[in-house]
Amino acid sequence: MSDLNPAGRYRTLPQGWELATLADVCLQVPKMKPEDEPDEAFTYLDIASIDNRTFRVVSPKSYLGKDAPSRARQKVSSGDTLFSTVRTYLKNIAIVPPELDDAVASTGFCVLHPADEISHRFIFYFVLNDEFVSTLNPLQRGTSYPAVRDADVLSQDIPLPPLPEQHRIVGEIERQFTRLDASIAALKRVQANLKRYRASVLKAACEGKLVPTEAELAHAEGRDYEPADRLLERILAERRARWESQEKRRGKYKEPVVPDTSGLQELPEGWVWATVGQLSSRIEYGTSTKASSVPSGIPVLRMGNIQDGELNFSDLKYLEGDHPETQKTILGHGDLLFNRTNSAELVGKSAVYKDWHLKACFASYLIRVSFLSDISSDYVCTFINSRHGRAYIAQVRSQQVGQANVNGTKLAAMPIPLPPLAEQPRIVAEVERRLSVIQQTEATVEASLTRAERMRQSILKRAFSGKLVPQDPNDEPASVLLGRIRAEREAAAKSLRTSRLPTSRHTLGGSSE
C-alpha cells in the first residue's frame, strides 16, 4: 500500500497502483484557428452541445471557417473527455464519440486527451465522480461566470491502477451502469404512466365516469334528485341577490357570460354546462405590492406555490399586514387561485386555498375566484387542471414575447360541466383518493431514482478506491506505465527542441568560408 498522498484524499492505494495527476497521464491537444481555412466546414462542440444528464454530445454544430466562434480553438479526437470548466457543478462532461473525431471544441472545455497507454474511458468515468467535481467547485473564479482553469483540472490527483486493471474497472462500471440504467428507465416509465393516469383520473371526473352519477343512483334507488340545471338556477338567483344586497352597488346588474355549447361534449344525465362567471361571486387579480423574503407580515402566495393542483407553503414571501392592498387580497377558505401569466405550460395552474391557520394574500399574476354556495371549488379546480380545462386555456390564451396570458374575462367564460350538488363531493373525494395513491407512488419512485443516483456514485467511488474488481499481481505496476509515459513525453519534447535548432553556421548569419 502507498503512503498518504499530500492532499489526503486517497488514504491508501492498492498494490500496483500509483498516485498521479491528470497532467501526468494526459497530452496536450492541438490548437487551431478554423478561420485560417474560411471556406472549410467543421464540427463545433460547445457546452450547449452536451446533455449533462446522459453525459453525451447530443447537439454538435456545423460552421464554415469564416464563421467560426472565437472559442473554437481545440482539435479533439475520438475518446477525448470534454470537461466544462464553467460552472463545474453542472457536470457538462462527455466523451468524444468516433463520429466526431477531428471536431473542434470550445476553450470552455478542458480537453482530457489520455496518453496511448491510458484507458480513455477510465479517465471519463474518473471525472464523472462527484468527489472529483467537488474538489474543483471551490476553485471557481468569478460570480456571473464562475469557472476554473485548465491547470486546476489537470493538477488534480488520480489514483492510477495498472492498464489491464483499468480495462477491468471500466468493464465492470459499464456492466453495473447498464443494469442501473435499465432500472432507471423502468422507473421513468412508471413516472410517465403515473402522469398519464393522473390525467385520465381528472378527465374521467369531469365526464361523469369516475363515480356513479346522481341520476344513476336515484334511478337505482327509486328516488328523485335535483339536476344541475335547477342547481344553476338557484346559484344565479343567489348571485343576483348578493349584488342587490350590496350597499354601494353601481349601475345595472351585469349578467354573467353563458357557455357556448356548440362543439362541447354531451354531458351525463342531470349535468349542465355553466361558466366560471356564472358560478362565482368574484374574479379578481392579486396585489402588485413588492414582497419581501423577511418572514414578517402576511405571506403572499405566488405561482411557485401552486404545485400539482395543490398549494405548497414551503417557499413564501411576505407583505406588510397593514397595507391596504394586502388587506384587499386576503384569501378566504375555498378561494381558487389561477395562474394567469407565464410560459404556456404554466398558465392555468390552479389550486384551492384551504388553510385557515395561515392567513395569506396572493400576487398580481394570480387570479382569485370565489364561488357561490353549493359549488365545490375543488371540483372546478379539478376541471381546470384536466385535459378539458387545459384545452380551453390553450385555445384562449394570448402569447407575447414568450409570455402566455389568460385574463379574468377569458377565465370567466370558461365552460364548466356542472354535476348535481350531491355528486360534486363524491367526485372530489374519489379524485383525492386516487391522486393520493398516485402521489405516494410518485414519492416512492422519486426516492428510488435518488437511490439509483447514489448507487451510481457509490460504484464510481469503489472503482477508484480499488474495491470494484480484484487486483492481479501479475499486472505491470502503474509506476512502470507512468515511467514510460514520462519518457515518451520527454523524448517528444527533446525532438521538438532539436527540430527548432539551427542546422548550420549559415543559418546563424555567419559564413562557412
Side-chain angles (χ1 to χ4, degrees):
M1 295 289 186
S2 303
D3 295 330
L4 268 168
N5 69 79
R9 281 187 62 214
Y10 305 103
R11 297 186 179 281
T12 54
L13 296 176
Q15 192 69 34
W17 288 43
E18 196 72 22
L19 190 67
T21 66
L22 285 172
D24 292 331
V25 298
C26 291
L27 309 177
Q28 284 190 331
V29 296
K31 303 298 180 183
M32 63 177 305
K33 292 184 178 180
E35 56 266 34
D36 289 345
E37 298 183 63
D39 297 322
E40 289 293 320
F42 71 95
T43 301
Y44 178 54
L45 308 177
D46 62 4
I47 295 171
S49 303
I50 290 181
D51 183 338
N52 64 356
R53 295 165 300 176
T54 61
F55 306 109
R56 290 187 174 91
V57 178
V58 294
S59 304
K61 300 172 177 65
S62 185
Y63 288 97
L64 289 177
K66 62 185 179 183
D67 301 320
S70 61
R71 281 179 166 265
R73 290 290 180 267
Q74 306 189 88
K75 191 171 184 179
V76 298
S77 304
S78 171
D80 287 354
T81 291
L82 305 175
F83 184 93
S84 171
T85 55
V86 180
R87 294 185 177 88
T88 52
Y89 52 86
L90 295 179
K91 295 183 72 172
N92 285 299
I93 304 167
I95 196 163
V96 176
E99 63 270 20
L100 293 177
D101 190 50
D102 284 340
V104 180
S106 164
T107 54
F109 292 116
C110 176
V111 179
L112 301 173
H113 179 77
D116 290 341
E117 295 189 79
I118 298 293
S119 165
H120 289 226
R121 297 194 74 80
F122 182 85
I123 298 295
F124 168 65
Y125 286 120
F126 176 71
V127 300
L128 276 185
N129 190 350
D130 280 350
E131 286 190 358
F132 175 80
V133 176
S134 66
T135 62
L136 288 170
N137 290 340
L139 303 180
Q140 294 180 109
R141 299 159 183 84
T143 52
S144 60
Y145 198 67
V148 296
R149 299 172 300 185
D150 283 9
D152 296 324
V153 179
L154 293 168
S155 66
Q156 297 304 308
D157 289 335
I158 176 170
L160 193 69
L163 182 58
E165 190 172 345
Q166 291 177 39
H167 292 309
R168 293 198 298 273
I169 287 172
V170 168
E172 186 60 25
I173 287 174
E174 294 184 343
R175 274 190 291 275
Q176 295 201 27
F177 276 17
T178 296
R179 292 196 292 268
L180 200 55
D181 289 342
S183 299
I184 289 170
L187 288 168
K188 289 187 174 179
R189 285 195 297 272
V190 172
Q191 279 185 324
N193 289 337
L194 288 170
K195 187 176 180 179
R196 285 193 289 270
Y197 179 54
R198 177 191 293 271
S200 69
V201 168
L202 299 183
K203 181 175 181 288
C206 304
E207 293 175 348
K209 297 176 181 177
L210 195 63
V211 297
T213 67
E214 184 65 8
E216 290 169 344
L217 292 177
H219 294 327
E221 296 167 7
R223 60 173 172 82
D224 292 331
Y225 74 99
E226 180 191 58
D229 55 356
R230 265 188 272 161
L231 169 64
L232 181 59
E233 287 176 10
R234 197 170 69 252
I235 289 168
L236 291 174
E238 180 190 344
R239 190 178 189 277
R240 176 183 280 275
R242 282 196 178 203
W243 179 85
E244 291 175 345
S245 67
Q246 293 173 1
E247 292 182 6
K248 296 181 180 180
R249 65 177 184 271
R250 294 180 181 177
K252 186 179 178 182
Y253 174 70
K254 186 177 180 181
E255 293 287 350
V257 62
V258 298
D260 177 5
T261 58
S262 59
L264 295 178
Q265 68 192 52
E266 185 176 347
L267 296 177
E269 181 185 348
W271 290 41
V272 70
W273 283 105
T275 62
V276 171
Q278 287 179 311
L279 305 179
S280 62
S281 59
R282 60 178 170 177
I283 298 175
E284 56 190 5
Y285 298 91
T287 175
S288 57
T289 305
K290 188 175 180 180
S292 168
S293 298
V294 179
S296 173
I298 294 179
V300 55
L301 300 182
R302 299 161 292 137
M303 183 202 72
N305 298 113
I306 301 176
Q307 298 179 11
D308 294 328
E310 296 182 353
L311 288 173
N312 184 297
F313 300 101
S314 61
D315 179 23
L316 294 172
K317 289 188 180 289
Y318 298 82
L319 294 174
E320 295 176 9
D322 57 356
H323 194 286
E325 199 170 341
T326 303
Q327 293 301 317
K328 192 170 63 176
T329 55
I330 294 294
L331 290 161
H333 183 75
D335 283 351
L336 181 143
L337 290 175
F338 176 95
N339 182 49
R340 68 181 178 88
T341 182
N342 207 284
S343 58
E345 67 274 10
L346 296 179
V347 168
K349 284 175 57 176
S350 298
V352 176
Y353 176 81
K354 301 176 183 178
D355 196 343
W356 285 105
H357 305 294
L358 180 69
K359 188 177 182 181
C361 58
F362 61 106
S364 61
Y365 40 83
L366 299 180
I367 297 176
R368 179 243 301 271
V369 183
S370 299
F371 291 96
L372 295 157
S373 57
D374 293 343
I375 291 298
S376 167
S377 51
D378 287 306
Y379 170 75
V380 177
C381 187
T382 296
F383 176 79
I384 293 175
N385 288 325
S386 74
R387 292 178 189 173
H388 297 301
R390 300 300 304 172
Y392 173 82
I393 291 165
Q395 179 184 346
V396 302
R397 69 185 175 219
S398 59
Q399 189 81 31
Q400 293 180 341
V401 196
Q403 285 283 100
N405 183 275
V406 173
N407 60 30
T409 301
K410 291 175 180 175
L411 177 58
M414 177 184 281
I416 302 289
L418 183 65
L421 175 60
E423 195 171 332
Q424 294 177 39
R426 292 202 301 272
I427 293 172
V428 169
E430 184 62 16
V431 167
E432 289 179 347
R433 185 187 71 79
R434 297 198 187 196
L435 292 190
S436 176
V437 173
I438 292 171
Q439 287 170 349
Q440 291 172 15
T441 309
E442 285 174 333
T444 301
V445 170
E446 194 61 43
S448 298
L449 287 170
T450 301
R451 282 196 299 273
E453 185 52 38
R454 285 201 298 265
M455 190 177 299
R456 190 185 301 276
Q457 287 302 316
S458 174
I459 291 167
L460 293 176
K461 185 174 182 178
R462 292 175 62 221
F464 299 109
S465 61
K467 297 177 181 177
L468 192 63
V469 299
Q471 283 76 49
D472 186 340
N474 297 317
D475 287 342
E476 178 186 72
S479 57
V480 177
L481 176 62
L482 283 170
R484 265 202 313 275
I485 294 171
R486 195 176 301 116
E488 289 170 8
R489 183 181 279 116
E490 289 171 355
K494 183 177 180 181
S495 174
L496 183 60
R497 288 195 300 271
T498 302
S499 68
R500 291 175 177 171
L501 289 174
T503 57
S504 69
R505 290 171 56 195
H506 180 73
T507 59
L508 295 172
S511 173
S512 60
E513 298 179 3

